Amino acid sequence: MKGRVEVIIGAQWGDEGKGRVVDALGSRVDVFARYQGGANAGHTVIVEGKKYVFHLLPSGMLYPCRVCVIGNGVVIDPEQLLNELRELQEQGKDRARLVISGAAHVVMPYHKKLDTAQENQRGKGRKIGTTGRGIGPAYVDKYSRCGVRVEDLLDGDSLRDKLEYNLDEKNLFLSKIYGEEPLPFDEVFDQAVEWGKALAPYVGDASLIIDEAIQEGRGVLFEGAQGTLLDVDHGTYPYVTSSSPVAAGGCVGLGVGPAAVDRVIGVVKAYCTRVGEGPFPTEDEGESGNRLREKGAEYGATTGRPRRCGWLDLVALRYAVRVNGMSSIALTKLDVLTDFERIPVCTGYEIDGKAEEHFPSGVHRQWKAKPVYEYLEGWKEDLSGCAEFDRLPLQARKYVEYIETACGVPVNLIGVGPGRDQTILRNF
């Protein structure tokens, strides 16, 4: 018997509400698996009125007796991860079993220093908007084949060998190019050894554990961070993250073949937001954008930075449907659009005076893209108490159906508030 495997991906620029969607589906999932990214992402879950923010832990950690996996595709900041675990333990919420892939790479102190120094050196107009959490430099080392993996933290000889090489190189960059103080070897080594001791009880073969769960007929949920338009290959490069948040990244980041995946669920905010630099065709820098930000509490879970806000972009969404093979949409924050008299929806672009119905691949054309809007009638009614689709106001239902028609994908989940119980499931 084969278990059901579903992939949760962000279909926009991240911050779509993936954590709350994972949590809403959690009662039917046995294994939650995070497959890429690092502590530069934040998943927010609200249960019984209490907010939990996970940066590295899978959102399923709040479900007792489940298995939560951090895959080889994630870059792990041990200090952040241990802090998250400690906070859950102090609240009596550490009731899931955590497994960390020994093949996952580690964000070291020199990665963070390099991240900040490189971003500062880019200067005005060239900044990417990195969080400074060391994610990019950690992935650089991974692909340069000199990265420190979790399994190295458990082996003093391997750790020493890698750190001696890495620190010689990184300290040269820090001191000679960026004018920063070099990092002392003993300090970094001793800290890494302590991380290894603390993480050792959780280290395992993530790929094998997931495969066994699938073969046993258990439900498995792959959980991505960031969003499709931040993918290093398919996003608004170079204003992207350093990994692959798209659905295919789930297979690579967890060691599972693509034939195992049954369904790809794209999480879509009812409007659009973006953190950091980069093109954003439907951004609204006026009063309506500010109104969306305040009503939607659009401030970064990781950095607290205010998010840029704008309207739903169907050109970008259709692109996300295509590159992810999306079979289902989870629409979040529909309630935030309440009280807008008319709601703009971008149905196409104009680039250099010509109509464009497809998302452009080059960032130079993305910067030039001007949205072509259709305007849908808004609604005044409060959505927060709606438990069924038919109980939504007529215009809210039409908004959902408009998205389904435009994308050719059913909207099977609708968020009408931040709480776990404020979720409408349709034919799920």
Side-chain angles (χ1 to χ4, degrees):
M1 179 180 177
K2 177 179 175 291
R4 185 173 182 83
V5 177
E6 297 175 308
V7 184
I8 296 283
I9 61 98
Q12 295 158 315
W13 281 280
D15 306 310
E16 300 95 346
K18 294 178 291 296
R20 68 82 41 86
V21 173
V22 172
D23 183 72
L25 303 179
S27 61
R28 61 194 224 176
V29 175
D30 300 296
V31 179
F32 299 81
R34 168 82 182 269
Y35 64 81
Q36 50 74 224
N40 55 339
H43 287 178
T44 302
V45 179
I46 297 178
V47 180
E48 297 174 351
K50 183 171 178 57
K51 182 168 76 172
Y52 301 86
V53 179
F54 298 126
H55 300 279
L56 284 165
L57 289 174
S59 301
M61 286 296 292
L62 295 175
Y63 276 90
C65 304
R66 302 303 203 275
V67 177
C68 287
V69 174
I70 299 179
N72 56 277
V74 179
V75 289
I76 295 174
D77 179 341
E79 188 173 1
Q80 174 64 43
L81 179 58
L82 292 169
N83 283 339
E84 288 184 39
L85 280 169
R86 191 177 303 111
E87 289 175 4
L88 283 183
Q89 290 164 357
E90 291 171 353
Q91 299 173 71
K93 295 291 186 180
D94 58 327
R95 293 174 289 177
R97 175 193 170 202
L98 178 65
V99 178
I100 302 170
S101 171
H105 281 247
V106 179
V107 177
M108 301 299 291
Y110 47 80
H111 291 139
K112 295 180 181 180
K113 290 197 73 171
L114 284 168
D115 197 357
T116 302
Q118 289 166 354
E119 181 76 346
N120 289 339
Q121 185 148 317
R122 288 187 182 101
K124 187 176 181 181
R126 293 174 179 260
K127 291 184 182 293
I128 294 172
T130 172
T131 61
R133 300 298 177 98
I135 308 305
Y139 276 114
V140 167
D141 277 6
K142 175 176 179 174
Y143 292 107
S144 293
R145 291 161 292 190
C146 64
V148 174
R149 307 210 298 186
V150 170
E151 61 195 12
D152 295 320
L153 300 181
L154 313 184
D155 184 331
D157 291 337
S158 174
L159 178 63
R160 182 177 294 277
D161 182 59
K162 287 192 173 184
L163 277 184
E164 284 177 348
Y165 173 82
N166 283 348
L167 271 177
D168 282 347
E169 180 186 63
K170 309 309 182 194
N171 279 337
L172 190 63
F173 277 111
L174 286 169
S175 59
K176 300 300 183 183
I177 297 178
Y178 299 115
E180 299 283 343
E181 287 294 319
L183 291 167
F185 175 86
D186 288 342
E187 181 180 312
V188 176
F189 179 79
D190 291 345
Q191 184 178 46
V193 169
E194 292 304 310
W195 286 340
K197 292 176 182 177
L199 294 177
Y202 305 104
V203 179
D205 189 332
S207 173
L208 178 61
I209 287 170
I210 292 172
D211 182 68
E212 289 175 343
I214 294 171
Q215 300 308 320
E216 292 167 4
R218 302 164 71 193
V220 180
L221 191 66
F222 295 178
E223 179 180 359
Q226 288 94 25
T228 299
L229 300 177
L230 294 177
D231 187 276
V232 69
D233 286 298
H234 304 290
T236 54
Y237 188 88
Y239 304 98
V240 293
T241 193
S242 304
S243 58
S244 293
V246 296
C251 297
V252 176
L254 291 168
V256 178
V261 176
D262 295 292
R263 179 161 64 166
V264 176
I265 303 168
V267 185
V268 179
K269 197 176 286 185
Y271 47 100
C272 278
T273 62
R274 178 167 193 164
V275 171
E277 307 298 324
F280 182 0
T282 63
E283 182 174 12
D284 188 319
E285 300 183 79
E287 187 275 332
S288 292
N290 290 332
R291 188 174 165 195
L292 286 171
R293 183 180 302 108
E294 296 308 314
K295 288 192 67 178
E298 296 296 352
Y299 296 89
T302 298
T303 63
R305 288 185 292 181
R307 295 174 184 145
R308 299 157 63 190
C309 294
W311 304 105
L312 185 64
D313 186 336
L314 290 177
V315 181
L317 183 52
R318 289 193 295 266
Y319 173 73
V321 168
R322 172 164 59 87
V323 299
N324 288 288
M326 277 166 50
S327 47
S328 177
I329 288 175
L331 186 69
T332 61
K333 291 198 170 183
L334 184 62
D335 54 299
V336 174
L337 296 181
T338 298
D339 286 330
F340 282 92
E341 184 175 345
R342 293 198 312 161
I343 303 172
V345 176
C346 174
T347 58
Y349 295 153
E350 183 182 288
I351 302 176
D352 292 330
K354 297 181 180 179
E356 178 59 70
E357 62 180 22
H358 299 294
F359 193 74
S361 60
V363 70
H364 300 297
R365 298 189 73 229
Q366 292 162 6
W367 278 118
K368 294 179 180 180
K370 297 179 180 179
V372 177
Y373 287 118
E374 288 191 16
Y375 293 85
L376 304 184
E377 188 177 343
W379 58 89
K380 298 287 186 182
E381 297 89 339
D382 179 19
L383 308 187
S384 61
C386 295
E388 298 174 2
F389 182 72
D390 290 342
R391 294 187 60 188
L392 289 172
L394 175 62
Q395 300 307 328
R397 296 199 304 271
K398 285 186 175 181
Y399 189 80
V400 174
E401 291 165 350
Y402 187 90
I403 295 170
E404 291 180 314
T405 300
C407 296
V409 178
V411 175
N412 296 123
L413 182 150
I414 303 167
V416 293
R420 176 185 281 178
D421 58 341
Q422 292 177 300
T423 305
I424 298 172
L425 299 179
R426 301 172 68 209
N427 304 317
F428 226 70

